Amino acid sequence: MAAFGPEDALLSAEADLVEQRAGILLVDDAPENLTALEAVLEPLGERLVSAQSGEQALRALLHEEVAVILLDVRMAEMDGLETARIIRSRPRTRHIPIIFLTAQASDVEEIARAYASGAVDYVVKPLEPDVLRAKVAVFVELSRERAERVRQSQARAHAEAIAATVRKLQIVSDAALAHLELDELLAEILERARTLFDADAAGVFLRDDDDRGLTLRASLGERFPLADREHVSFGEGALGRLADERRPALLAAVELPPQPGAASSRIDSFLVVPLLGSESLIGLLYLGARAGRRFAAADLELLALAGERVAIAIEHAKRYAEGLELVEILQRSLLPERLPSHPRLELAARYRPSGFAAQVGGDWYDALVLDDRRIGVMIGDIVGHGIRAATTMGELRSALRAFAIEGHPPGEALHRLDRVVQATLGRGMVATAMFLILDAEAGTVTVASAGHPPPAVVGADRRVRFLETTPCLPLGIDDHAAASERVHPLAAGDTLLLYTDGLVERRDESIDAGFERLRDALREAPDDVEALCDHVLDRTLGDHPGQDDVAVLTVRLLAGPSGPLALTLPATVDSVTVGRHQLRAWLRVTAPELEIALARDLELAFSEACTNAVRHAYGPRDATFSMRAELVGNEIVLEVRDHGSWREPLGERGGWGLRLIRAVCEAVEVERGPIGTRVRMRQSLPLEPAASSARPAAGAGSQS
Amino acid sequence: MSRRGRVMPPSDLLASVSRREEDGVSIVAVQGEIDASNATEIGRELTDISNLALGSVIDLGQVSHIDSTGIALLYELHVRLERRGQGLAVVAPEGGAARRVLELTAFDTRAAVTADVDGAVSAVRSIAGADPPPQPDPR
């Protein structure tokens, strides 16, 4: 590391040695005239520059700043008029006023003709000292005013440039407040700073959590050459001391310590500014320039200004990240940690926050087992966002859960919840809620709703229906009577979907379009309830991740352990999949100990039978076929029945269907009748889980 | 009872197909379930092989269900590749869903069925005459 201390290297701003006196150029080829002019003008106290010829005058003007020129018209070599012409032709000297000195009246006319400009005057010899002095003084004063104007306009331009730069940085940091995470924010700020300051290196060190030093968090261009490691301890080395002193510093040339694998390069100039948070130093921002470019004191001032904004942005980004985490924790704490499990029911739920991150919503759901045949499921939505909505949601959830546990039916429970809303939460708080009790034995669902959108049910046959609820106002609106209940049948394989309005409502369309979108999504949803939740969210929200948060909860009623599975499906190839998946779910419940290989064989046989039924079902386009699965004693009996007649195709590549069925099942009966074909497959369950002797050997059914 | 047309998840949810190439052999991996509802799409994927490829490996290691519709696809593919002088090998690990059905339909007596992709690639290369026949699988 280069041996230097920041104090030695600090470049003081170069003293601006501006000559305070104005320059007056005197041009005459007669030395005695020059002496006379000097004597006349001496009292003005300005800086007198003398030249004895036009050439000398032009040479002097190359490096002298003068306010006015006194020029003799008649000179031996280059005369005054010619000298003036050249002076006026040069951009640098064009504006300098000239006072011609002449003894000839005829010269005056010539001067007037050649230079009809206000910047030119003349004095006829013999000179009148007071008049000449006064004229020169006027021009000197004019020149001073002009210089001042230029200086002011340059200063204004500079100030505007700085303001524009700060504005740009401000734009970066302001935009960052809303959207960027810390690392993205730093990358954006560094890129912008590097461009604005034309720097070759840029980086940010941030304070460590343990407060012992700073660590390089982001950098661009060359690695920071002032520290050989990415960590800097407070008070140690140039950076550590700068961090302690918390002041901006302009550092001089530093030879880069050799970097392994990188060509050594020379950083000529460094700006380092502290990033001061509301309470303490949060880091350092540096810029480096190499190869001849040097930062100026003005750059340091500007970067220090920028550093103030950057510090604010970084603090915001950090707080934003902490806020997000907090919101997540809050949400997690308010929604049920896990859904209850029940042998006859499959549950899954999702909560998706609104597109505006860190905006916690008021949607909630809950589910609890009431007894061995019934579970209660609830969903609700508090109007509004923010921590207040979220905590209110938590209160309502707990209250409704308590009413459910006490055994209140859905209507009564909602009525009590409404009283809670009105009594404790005050006017102006509006919420919707729905409470359903599923009875797995009875195959019913009892529903009461307070202003909540209706639940959807998708059947095993993929038909979608919305359950009717008795219209009732949301909670907190007015004194309202107990929400009345409706009871609907629920069949094995039916999947109930509860949701909040964010799922179906879009600002720019009617809610009916939302219901249609949900209906379509459900019709094509995957079997697995977890995947179903994701599918429904993706399909309905699509590219409109929304203005609102969304909660969905699905419950599927599975077939009872002893009950048969019976379905009638359309005779299309898609039904093969539906039938097989239904069988899979039924087997999981009916024979949970079933060996996977055996379950696969049954699915295979069933799939083959369904495929044949679909292929050979003659008749109108909306033909159907029926399937049935039943546990009889220790035997699983599968049956597929269609309304066509099976013709067993000949040859190796056809007719595998039945052969496979026969290969994997213990017993197969095919009955061809006048109204259709029925295939019945039987498979006894092994008495001990490990026994698999019932499974026919591989290849038993093949003809080769 | 439904009288609606489309009643099941679209086939793309049932199975997914990915493809890559290794040593001049096209490797098509199917994941999910193959049945009558998606056989047409799967078949299209399976037969999409470059003429320049030595042959094709069909990886059924991640297939959880395949029935006779799927086996018919493999038989068709086998005949087709044989005619074009390209090799075919099917990956179906022991104990997997595909292995059982391949054995029941005797497909394993017609074409190479291996436990892993490496074995299948060498099998295809040797069928296509690019490599000497592989050592017998110790398994």
Side-chain angles (χ1 to χ4, degrees):
Chain A
M1 164 155 190
F4 88 113
E7 307 81 14
D8 330 327
L10 285 180
L11 293 184
S12 58
E14 266 180 46
D16 198 9
L17 296 172
V18 175
E19 173 64 73
Q20 296 297 313
R21 294 180 302 159
I24 302 171
L25 179 60
L26 313 172
V27 191
D28 200 314
D29 57 353
E32 65 274 21
N33 287 350
L34 281 177
T35 309
L37 284 172
E38 284 165 6
V40 169
L41 299 174
E42 195 70 64
L44 290 176
E46 307 294 355
R47 185 167 47 91
L48 303 177
V49 181
S50 301
Q52 292 195 15
S53 68
E55 289 84 351
Q56 260 189 31
L58 293 174
R59 234 185 341 267
L61 285 174
L62 290 178
H63 52 88
E64 293 281 356
E65 290 289 344
V66 302
V68 59
I69 301 168
L70 273 68
L71 185 55
D72 186 28
V73 176
R74 302 276 167 138
M75 290 190 294
E77 303 282 320
M78 182 191 292
D79 71 11
L81 293 174
E82 173 64 7
T83 306
R85 197 186 58 74
I86 295 172
I87 290 171
R88 302 304 292 268
S89 71
R90 290 181 180 166
R92 207 173 88 86
T93 54
R94 179 175 297 149
H95 63 277
I96 303 175
I98 299 172
I99 299 173
F100 289 104
L101 307 172
T102 179
Q104 312 276 328
S106 62
D107 287 349
V108 173
E109 287 169 34
E110 204 177 335
I111 291 164
R113 267 204 310 278
Y115 301 101
S117 119
V120 174
D121 203 342
Y122 60 91
V123 175
V124 182
K125 296 176 188 175
L127 303 170
E128 190 65 46
D130 290 339
V131 173
L132 180 63
R133 205 180 296 123
K135 273 186 192 279
V136 169
V138 166
F139 280 115
V140 166
E141 193 50 41
L142 282 174
S143 161
R144 281 223 168 84
E145 283 175 13
R146 183 176 172 280
E148 178 64 17
R149 272 200 307 280
V150 168
R151 204 188 61 75
Q152 280 179 355
S153 89
Q154 278 174 347
R156 199 179 309 118
H158 188 59
E160 280 169 5
I162 288 179
T165 308
V166 170
R167 212 156 40 233
K168 281 186 204 167
L169 280 170
Q170 186 175 357
I171 286 166
V172 173
S173 44
D174 285 351
L177 296 187
H179 301 294
L180 294 185
E181 287 178 22
L182 182 59
D183 289 312
E184 293 171 327
L185 167 76
L186 294 179
E188 180 71 33
I189 285 172
L190 290 182
E191 183 57 50
R192 188 54 75 98
R194 182 166 71 164
T195 311
L196 288 175
F197 289 89
D198 189 23
D200 298 301
V204 171
F205 281 82
L206 289 188
R207 190 190 195 102
D208 300 330
D209 288 338
D210 62 7
D211 279 343
R212 289 161 69 178
L214 302 165
T215 302
L216 186 64
R217 178 69 179 253
S219 65
L220 276 181
E222 310 252 359
R223 283 164 54 88
F224 188 62
L226 293 180
D228 48 1
R229 284 167 299 139
E230 294 191 339
H231 181 264
V232 172
S233 298
F234 286 129
E236 288 177 22
L239 271 186
R241 284 196 294 273
L242 277 180
D244 276 358
E245 291 165 18
R246 299 181 184 188
R247 63 186 171 91
L250 176 51
L251 307 181
V254 172
E255 185 69 39
L256 278 174
Q259 301 284 338
S264 173
S265 69
R266 208 177 149 79
I267 291 284
D268 279 346
S269 186
F270 265 106
L271 299 172
V272 182
V273 298
L275 300 172
L276 297 171
S278 49
E279 285 159 16
S280 61
L281 179 95
I282 60 174
L284 291 176
L285 168 65
Y286 72 83
L287 292 178
R290 114 188 106 172
R293 162 132 163 70
R294 267 168 202 284
F295 291 118
D299 291 327
L300 184 60
E301 281 174 33
L302 178 53
L303 189 65
L305 269 177
E308 290 175 15
R309 305 212 135 263
V310 167
I312 293 169
I314 290 174
E315 280 210 316
H316 271 273
K318 283 182 145 176
R319 235 176 273 143
Y320 179 71
E322 283 162 11
L324 268 184
E325 212 171 300
L326 223 105
V327 164
E328 270 182 40
I329 291 169
L330 180 67
Q331 204 81 56
R332 267 203 300 274
S333 70
L334 292 177
L335 293 173
E337 210 166 287
R338 70 166 64 90
L339 296 168
S341 64
H342 187 278
R344 293 285 311 277
L345 299 164
E346 282 180 340
L347 287 96
R350 294 285 183 276
Y351 173 80
R352 195 171 281 190
S354 73
F356 307 106
Q359 189 174 55
V360 58
D363 288 7
W364 59 276
Y365 60 83
D366 203 355
L368 70 160
V369 175
L370 297 174
D371 51 45
D372 56 3
R373 52 184 281 185
R374 296 183 311 147
I375 70 159
V377 290
M378 306 137 189
I379 193 159
D381 185 358
I382 316 287
V383 175
H385 291 279
I387 302 295
R388 180 158 146 70
T391 48
T392 304
M393 170 263 265
E395 286 184 50
L396 294 193
R397 185 169 82 88
S398 308
L400 188 54
R401 172 174 267 263
F403 298 144
I405 290 171
E406 281 174 9
H408 296 292
E412 174 61 20
L414 285 185
H415 178 55
R416 284 168 183 256
L417 191 63
D418 181 52
R419 292 221 298 265
V420 170
V421 171
Q422 302 215 19
T424 67
L425 302 175
R427 300 268 162 184
M429 177 60 75
V430 175
T432 66
M434 187 159 63
F435 179 17
L436 302 90
I437 292 180
L438 275 82
D439 188 325
E441 291 293 316
T444 58
V445 54
T446 306
V447 54
S449 165
H452 203 85
V457 175
V458 52
D461 59 359
R462 301 279 158 176
R463 279 179 70 168
V464 179
R465 62 189 198 273
F466 289 93
L467 295 186
E468 245 180 86
T469 57
T470 308
C472 180
L473 288 171
L475 307 171
I477 294 283
D478 212 334
D479 295 330
H480 72 222
S484 38
E485 294 158 8
R486 297 286 288 262
V487 181
H488 299 275
L490 206 61
D494 275 354
T495 308
L496 191 65
L497 180 87
L498 314 186
Y499 53 92
T500 53
D501 56 5
L503 191 73
V504 288
E505 269 184 8
R506 281 188 198 169
R507 200 172 281 168
D508 49 350
E509 61 178 34
S510 82
I511 197 163
D512 285 341
F515 284 131
E516 269 319 297
R517 204 166 24 246
L518 175 57
R519 189 188 285 275
D520 289 343
L522 280 173
R523 209 174 276 149
E524 299 189 346
D527 272 342
D528 178 67
V529 286
E530 299 283 347
L532 184 143
C533 286
D534 293 330
H535 170 87
V536 163
L537 284 170
D538 290 344
R539 287 287 294 269
T540 52
L541 299 181
D543 296 332
H544 296 253
Q547 298 123 5
D548 208 355
D549 53 340
V550 179
V552 297
L553 173 67
T554 62
V555 190
R556 173 169 302 148
L557 180 61
L558 301 172
S562 53
L565 169 75
L567 281 176
T568 299
L569 296 171
T572 67
V573 284
D574 288 344
S575 294
V576 175
T577 318
V578 174
R580 187 173 68 252
H581 289 180
Q582 286 294 317
L583 175 70
R584 187 178 300 167
W586 181 82
L587 283 173
R588 261 206 304 273
V589 176
T590 311
E593 304 287 310
L594 192 65
E595 217 186 319
I596 182 159
L598 196 47
R600 272 195 205 138
D601 277 358
L602 288 172
E603 282 184 34
L604 175 64
F606 200 63
S607 194
E608 296 294 345
C610 291
T611 304
N612 275 343
V614 166
R615 292 263 159 84
H616 305 293
Y618 297 115
R621 236 179 347 159
D622 57 355
T624 60
F625 71 100
S626 319
M627 48 173 277
R628 188 180 168 83
E630 197 173 0
L631 183 68
V632 181
N634 191 40
E635 209 176 39
I636 288 178
V637 180
L638 307 178
E639 194 179 280
V640 174
R641 186 197 286 257
D642 66 39
H643 311 297
S645 73
W646 289 22
R647 288 172 299 183
E648 272 189 80
L650 301 173
E652 182 187 54
R653 287 167 54 208
W656 271 322
L658 262 186
R659 266 186 278 152
L660 277 175
I661 294 172
R662 290 199 167 107
V664 299
C665 292
E666 279 174 336
V668 180
E669 302 159 25
V670 180
E671 238 179 66
R672 297 181 180 82
I675 54 149
T677 304
R678 187 185 73 171
V679 58
R680 177 177 276 191
M681 300 155 277
R682 294 168 190 278
Q683 176 68 51
S684 60
L685 296 176
L687 294 173
E688 289 164 44
S692 59
S693 56
R695 190 176 165 216
S702 79
Q703 293 182 333
S704 49
Chain B
M1 176 165 66
S2 168
R3 293 188 182 265
R4 285 177 187 276
R6 185 171 188 87
V7 292
M8 68 141 274
S11 306
D12 57 330
L13 286 173
L14 199 58
S16 65
V17 176
S18 63
R19 50 176 68 243
R20 63 196 162 96
E21 207 180 291
E22 200 173 285
D23 296 335
V25 176
S26 147
I27 300 172
V28 182
V30 186
Q31 190 166 10
E33 301 177 59
I34 305 174
D35 67 14
S37 74
N38 63 358
T40 312
E41 290 95 317
I42 301 277
R44 205 175 295 134
E45 291 287 344
L46 297 190
T47 49
D48 182 16
I49 303 169
S50 159
N51 284 328
L52 301 175
L54 293 172
S56 188
V57 166
I58 308 298
D59 182 357
L60 302 182
Q62 298 299 313
V63 162
S64 58
H65 172 88
I66 181 168
D67 56 25
S68 59
T69 7
I71 300 299
L73 294 177
L74 293 177
Y75 264 99
E76 276 168 34
L77 183 65
H78 177 56
V79 170
R80 192 179 178 128
L81 290 182
E82 215 168 32
R83 224 180 293 148
R84 286 160 45 143
Q86 293 173 311
L88 172 69
V90 176
V91 181
E94 293 284 355
R99 186 63 164 236
R100 166 95 167 139
V101 186
L102 290 169
E103 286 171 359
L104 288 175
T105 54
F107 185 82
D108 58 333
T109 65
R110 290 306 201 83
V113 175
T114 67
D116 57 34
V117 174
D118 288 347
V121 169
S122 8
V124 168
R125 287 182 61 85
S126 98
I127 296 166
D131 284 342
Q135 294 305 303
D137 192 341
R139 276 163 295 196

